[in-house]
Amino acid sequence: MLLPEESVVHGSSAEPHTSNAARPQDLPALDRLLRLSAVQALVMAHGHTLVAQTARALLTELRALAVAGGLGVDALAPDALADALARRVHERLAPRMRTVLNLTGTVLHTNLGRALLPEAAIAHIAAMMAAPNNLEFDLVTGRRGDRDSIVEGLLCELTGAEAATVVNNNAAAVLLTLAALASGREVIVSRGELVEIGGAFRMPDVMQSAGARLVEVGTTNRTHPRDYEGAIGEHTALLMKVHTSNYQVQGFTSAVAEAQLAPIAAAHGLPLVTDLGSGALIDLSAYGLPLEPTPRQMLADGCALVTFSGDKLLGGPQAGLIVGRKDLVARIKAHPMKRALRMSKLPLAALEATLRLYLRPERLTQDLPTLRLLTRPLAAIEATARAAAPALQVALAPRYSVQQVALQGQIGSGSLPVERLPSSGLALAPVDTAGTGRALEALCAALRALPMPVIGRIHEDRLLLDMRCLERPAQLLDQIGLLRLPGKR
Ligand SMILES: *Cc1c(COP(=O)(O)O)cnc(C)c1O
């Protein structure tokens, strides 16, 4: 016999109760909930396991609420229960990693995933991951191959290096290089270059993890060639330079450039290793951007090895690249840690496709999103801000004002920290200046809650939306149409 759904859910509680609060015994049993027709549709779409598991969790929570007296009977109506269950099922199936609109003004934002991959890299990943490939198989000899060989030739060509190898990220590249070349021995570094690069990557700690002994020379602001020379001894494994990419010491400063240090290292038969961090493969000053040393320049200046990141200025996937002398690269590749830090086929496919774009430098500002965004004409950014302003004004009035403003963006990821990129965007400010902080927080939260979250930056009581990285204004306009501010109909 089929009962009307109302009674299926509410069961057969005898005592009538008058209040609006549901009691624990008013909750349906799991199998009754699963028999609701709307829930049956969910089971058809997603299978019994997920729906039943989610329903059980829902009932457990509702029971706790009912026991606490905080559950209204309305929440137990069949439609309400089915809706709540459907919402939870969809929520569990929704990815936690989502795309956002980066309106922070920082092009290589570490918290937002750094470099955007070029289309060619995305296409190559999709093609390579969907089928077996020759990751470690030599198609000429039919023998086992080396995954590094997929990109080694390109890296040598683009940097002028004799040899190259790749690992998971640049932190791994530094760790592996030190472990392979300096374990149990000394590494000489300037005090001004003992950097921390966010999170747990501090040069002195990396040295220790690699089993190398750090020998600090010079002072925070000044280090001279004689400082290095005086520290070289029988236990020295190498001299190291670290590109201070995320800060700058200004004023009475002096550092020993690679070109100056290389002859000193060579005179003692020691390698000079440079951790370049960002490592642009091309001369950015040719594009009107600040000059950043390239791996090619560092090698030409006499460095034995250079390490750099794949997802900073290079504009590719997360990767650590090590380029330089053949004998040293061979020792690095032979170290057991190389196997643990090796790159997976997924970013390797992306890296190869990204590096190949550099063979056509004239097209780079189109093909490489990082360079495209960094060189985006100011007029285009201003036009985007102008196009977005009216919709935002409508959506935010009367609580917030919207004003087009000139902004200063940055490259990000520790690249060229003091340089600013002239940009344009919108400044959103609460009209009622009492409670500005809370009003701004509410606005940020509403923007973050959008299907494609919109991320800006707060500066001096205003939320700034920098339009440099918004190449398709429609993406923002679509989201603004969905914006729901608290307290607004
Ligand atoms: C960013 C950076 C690193 C770390 O690179 P990841 O690819 O993020 O691991 C190391 N050294 C320097 C100088 C850096 O700028």
Side-chain angles (χ1 to χ4, degrees):
M1 186 189 80
L2 262 176
L3 294 167
E5 290 202 331
E6 192 63 28
S7 59
V8 170
V9 168
H10 286 293
S12 56
S13 149
E15 334 138 32
H17 69 116
T18 44
S19 96
N20 262 343
R23 298 158 308 174
Q25 62 265 40
D26 296 334
L27 269 94
L30 178 66
D31 61 330
R32 288 189 168 201
L33 177 56
L34 291 176
R35 281 205 299 272
L36 290 177
S37 54
V39 174
Q40 275 301 304
L42 266 185
V43 173
M44 290 290 276
H46 302 293
H48 179 82
T49 306
L50 174 70
V51 178
Q53 213 178 49
T54 312
R56 204 172 290 123
L58 174 65
L59 289 176
T60 303
E61 269 181 47
L62 292 177
R63 188 163 295 111
L65 268 178
V67 168
L71 185 69
V73 285
D74 293 352
L76 297 185
D79 285 353
L81 281 171
D83 282 355
L85 182 56
R87 253 196 322 275
R88 281 176 182 236
V89 165
H90 292 135
E91 149 103 5
R92 287 187 68 192
L93 289 173
R96 291 299 172 267
M97 188 190 269
R98 296 156 60 192
T99 54
V100 304
L101 288 178
N102 172 12
L103 305 188
T104 62
T106 299
V107 175
L108 295 170
H109 200 301
T110 293
N111 302 146
L112 303 181
R114 289 194 185 161
L116 306 185
L117 280 186
E119 266 171 41
I122 295 164
H124 199 46
I125 288 181
M128 290 306 102
M129 297 311 112
N133 57 54
N134 62 332
L135 179 68
E136 289 187 353
F137 183 71
D138 187 325
L139 290 171
V140 176
T141 62
R143 297 218 196 106
R144 195 195 154 141
D146 174 359
R147 65 178 66 203
D148 282 358
S149 65
I150 292 170
V151 290
E152 184 172 14
L154 270 169
L155 276 171
C156 290
E157 186 180 340
L158 295 170
T159 63
E162 282 173 16
T165 182
V166 289
V167 285
N168 192 38
N169 53 28
N170 187 37
V174 175
L175 179 68
L176 176 62
T177 299
L178 293 172
L181 305 182
S183 178
R185 298 170 66 204
E186 293 175 354
V187 175
I188 303 175
V189 190
S190 161
R191 285 206 168 81
E193 295 173 6
L194 292 173
V195 300
E196 171 180 310
I197 299 131
F201 189 81
R202 294 174 138 196
M203 234 353 128
D205 301 341
V206 175
M207 295 266 176
Q208 200 178 15
S209 307
R213 276 197 309 282
L214 170 65
V215 176
E216 303 174 31
V217 296
T219 59
T220 307
N221 59 330
R222 287 172 72 86
T223 301
H224 307 284
R226 61 171 185 275
D227 295 326
Y228 287 96
E229 283 187 306
I232 293 173
E234 55 171 327
H235 301 298
T236 308
L238 54 91
L239 307 190
M240 179 149 191
K241 285 281 292 175
V242 183
H243 192 58
T244 55
S245 47
N246 56 359
Y247 72 101
Q248 234 177 39
V249 182
Q250 287 178 335
F252 185 56
T253 64
S254 146
V256 185
E258 280 79 356
Q260 222 182 338
L261 196 50
I264 297 172
H268 293 87
L270 296 170
L272 171 59
V273 175
T274 288
D275 173 22
L276 210 43
S278 211
L281 280 179
I282 46 166
D283 174 10
L284 292 180
S285 64
Y287 298 89
L289 291 164
L291 185 70
E292 171 90 349
T294 61
R296 178 184 287 281
Q297 183 63 50
M298 292 290 107
L299 293 173
D301 283 353
C303 293
L305 289 173
V306 180
T307 66
F308 55 105
S309 276
D311 57 355
K312 293 184 179 172
L313 284 170
L314 191 150
Q318 181 185 302
L321 299 87
I322 306 172
V323 298
R325 249 167 58 188
K326 205 178 181 109
D327 59 324
L328 299 178
V329 170
R331 276 168 66 191
I332 287 168
K333 290 180 69 155
H335 193 277
M337 220 185 250
K338 168 67 163 71
R339 173 63 179 78
L341 300 174
R342 75 179 183 189
M343 251 177 113
S344 119
K345 62 179 178 173
L346 207 144
L348 193 57
L351 181 62
E352 184 197 0
T354 306
L355 291 173
R356 231 168 258 296
L357 295 178
Y358 281 87
L359 298 180
R360 300 185 298 185
E362 292 84 359
R363 299 183 43 145
L364 268 183
T365 52
Q366 282 314 303
D367 295 347
L368 194 68
T370 297
L371 194 59
R372 190 170 72 227
L373 293 173
L374 289 176
T375 59
R376 195 169 169 217
L378 182 57
I381 306 172
E382 285 169 346
T384 302
R386 232 179 352 263
L392 267 160
Q393 262 148 5
V394 169
L396 300 182
R399 242 179 115 191
Y400 302 89
S401 66
V402 177
Q403 204 188 357
Q404 185 166 347
V405 288
L407 294 173
Q408 299 288 314
Q410 45 187 315
I411 295 175
S413 276
S415 314
L416 311 158
V418 291
E419 305 287 349
R420 289 291 176 268
L421 302 171
S423 190
S424 178
L426 300 175
L428 319 183
V431 171
D432 179 1
T433 48
T436 294
R438 203 148 0 108
L440 271 182
E441 203 29 71
L443 179 57
C444 292
L447 289 169
R448 285 197 308 268
L450 287 164
M452 193 184 299
V454 174
I455 316 292
R457 72 177 197 273
I458 289 183
H459 183 67
E460 292 178 348
D461 287 344
R462 298 187 303 175
L463 174 61
L464 304 179
L465 303 181
D466 187 309
M467 299 296 163
R468 174 177 295 276
C469 296
L470 185 68
E471 293 187 287
R472 280 175 289 158
Q475 284 188 314
L476 176 61
L477 297 179
D478 288 350
Q479 297 304 309
I480 296 309
L482 303 169
L483 187 65
R484 289 290 167 267
L485 284 171
K488 202 173 168 179
R489 326 124 273 134

